[in-house]
Amino acid sequence: FTYEFATAGSNSCFVGQTPRKANGPGQIFEVDATVTDVYLVSAIDPNIIVGRPVVYIVVDVYSHMVVGLYVGFEGPSWLGVMMAIENTVENKVEFCRQYDIEITEEEWPCHHMPESFMADRGEMESKNADSLGKALGIKLKNAPPYRADLKGIVEQQFRTLNVTLQPWTPGAVKKEYKKRGGPDYVLDAKLTLREFTQMMIEMILQRNNYHYMEYYPLDKDQALDKVRPVARDLWNWGISHNHYLKNVHPDIVRLNVLPEAKVTVNREGIYFEGMYYGCEELARQGWFVKGKTQKVPIAYDRRCMNHVYVKTDNGKGFIKCDLLAKSSRFINMSLEEVKSTRYEEKLSRSLYYDETELQEEVTLSAKLEAIKKEAMKRSADSQDHSLTKSERKSNIKGTKAVEREKLRKEQAYELGKSPNEETDEPSIPGDHVIPLETYKPKSKLGLLAKLRETEEKKHG
């Protein structure tokens, strides 16, 4: 598994208006991201402007077919690339249905992995991308810095989509509005992320199925078969003649685009970032046995840490593990929230030890010392020095039985007896249940203020 870099002048590059050559669908998928020229509003409160979304598009170089899409607020980063790659293998009929758009399989027949991906170095050149190549045998090609022209097909798709959608996107960024006193396009924002994604899907469907690419260089065989330079027609023709597409289960793709970590497994479970995970299958295999410790690779989704996935068969399989009861306080938290919670717990423990436990330990030592002195004094005053050591140790079992009987009589219950020894009136049982006060967690700001005050005292 190696990274490859495209170079200007090679037959596989895009220079000017000459498209990079690919021998069939799936040989090269280009992936790129852009911050769109439109402001969106919150789906919960349309008065709240949430900013400009990031759009990731994956395009097949051979046919110019858009095969993957992600619209959100991630990145540009690996998390956004991860979502776009995952979408390339997703069934597009089901994907569109999530946005109330009904299509047929023929309208968007793309649910495959390619032979190679072409992307920017900053996103694909990372450890997160390694397992994708190792497990699935996919080459990751990276464009050199400042060479957007080497991903010309996807770049052209972005330019076209931005220009075409602008008349239908209130809140679109318009250069002419930047003049002093001109209208503020940000305040024109009306679309939610879902509505903007619907627009993107409709736009992609139109371009994939009906856009006539006038300058697409048809080869001789395509011309003889009277293939129209439309993305879907080129895709279908290429599949019937020569393609490089791979059918991979979406879960295996997700497994290998998720971040990976090597973690410790012991009798307590799988330990990762202060949390414990486990499952019945691994327990049956004897993973959680006393005295047995091992390191295993896992995949995890930092957006929700309810599960981790133990990788098997070199990334082609997995075992799902759930958060154990002892770590249930982290349920439905992201990794960042888990780290924040653990830091606050550590801070709270530190403050409690400095302010309360340390003082109480000193107080306890004084009390225990007083009890010890009293016992030593009483023993010295009443000890019979005429008894030998053997006589003192004799019949310990018998004397213990006597003390036990005496203690039982003293501690025996007598229900209905008045707690007031001065009166003989029996107490009347009643409803004496007193509700406990509801626990209210301390403010995080309060914890930080106490920490600051403690540090100031320490350092004068």
Side-chain angles (χ1 to χ4, degrees), residues 200-432:
M200 290 296 300
I201 292 172
E202 295 287 8
M203 186 72 191
I204 288 170
L205 288 170
Q206 191 275 335
R207 290 190 62 80
N208 279 351
N209 290 279
Y210 305 107
H211 176 61
Y212 192 95
M213 296 178 287
E214 186 176 351
Y215 299 104
Y216 185 92
L218 294 171
D219 63 27
K220 183 177 180 180
D221 292 333
Q222 291 168 335
L224 288 173
D225 288 343
K226 295 183 169 47
V227 178
R228 290 174 300 180
V230 174
R232 185 176 69 169
D233 293 355
L234 294 166
W235 173 272
N236 291 334
W237 187 91
I239 288 178
S240 64
H241 288 75
N242 184 35
H243 73 85
Y244 301 81
L245 300 169
K246 302 178 182 181
N247 285 310
V248 183
H249 193 284
D251 278 350
I252 301 303
V253 174
R254 294 174 187 128
L255 177 71
N256 288 287
V257 295
L258 286 173
E260 183 180 307
K262 208 153 195 178
V263 298
T264 301
V265 181
N266 55 35
R267 63 179 299 190
E268 301 290 329
I270 295 173
Y271 182 78
F272 177 59
E273 292 288 352
M275 297 171 285
Y276 285 94
Y277 297 86
C279 68
E280 292 183 5
E281 183 174 348
L282 294 183
R284 286 195 300 269
Q285 294 181 17
W287 281 42
F288 312 125
V289 177
K290 183 178 180 180
K292 182 178 180 180
T293 303
Q294 58 182 317
K295 292 275 189 179
V296 297
I298 63 164
Y300 62 94
D301 192 334
R302 65 187 310 116
R303 296 166 296 184
C304 183
M305 296 302 301
N306 290 351
H307 313 282
V308 296
Y309 309 92
V310 176
K311 288 191 168 185
T312 62
D313 194 20
N314 295 320
K316 296 181 179 66
F318 64 91
I319 299 173
K320 182 179 179 181
C321 297
D322 304 318
L323 201 63
L324 296 180
K326 67 179 76 175
S327 302
S328 60
R329 67 188 185 280
F330 300 120
I331 196 77
N332 294 331
M333 286 189 184
S334 68
L335 183 58
E336 286 69 27
E337 289 170 330
V338 170
K339 289 181 177 179
S340 176
T341 300
R342 293 185 66 209
Y343 172 75
E344 289 167 14
E345 290 173 349
K346 183 179 179 181
L347 175 61
S348 180
R349 285 195 302 269
S350 176
L351 289 172
Y352 180 80
Y353 180 76
D354 291 342
E355 294 184 357
T356 305
E357 188 174 2
L358 188 59
Q359 296 175 13
E360 291 302 320
E361 283 180 359
V362 174
T363 303
L364 175 63
S365 296
K367 291 179 179 178
L368 297 177
E369 185 65 27
I371 296 171
K372 172 188 170 184
K373 286 182 178 179
E374 179 63 27
M376 296 289 288
K377 182 177 180 300
R378 187 193 68 253
S379 178
D381 293 342
S382 60
Q383 186 172 354
D384 186 353
H385 295 283
S386 64
L387 296 175
T388 65
K389 293 180 181 180
S390 297
E391 289 173 336
R392 290 192 67 194
K393 293 190 292 183
S394 66
N395 199 27
I396 290 178
K397 189 174 182 180
T399 55
K400 179 179 179 181
V402 173
E403 287 293 323
R404 181 169 61 241
E405 285 302 318
K406 179 183 175 182
L407 192 62
R408 284 176 177 176
K409 291 177 181 179
E410 290 176 355
Q411 295 177 344
Y413 295 143
E414 184 181 345
L415 305 184
K417 183 179 179 180
S418 172
N420 189 346
E421 295 179 358
E422 296 179 359
T423 65
D424 294 330
E425 296 180 5
S427 61
I428 301 173
D431 186 7
H432 297 296

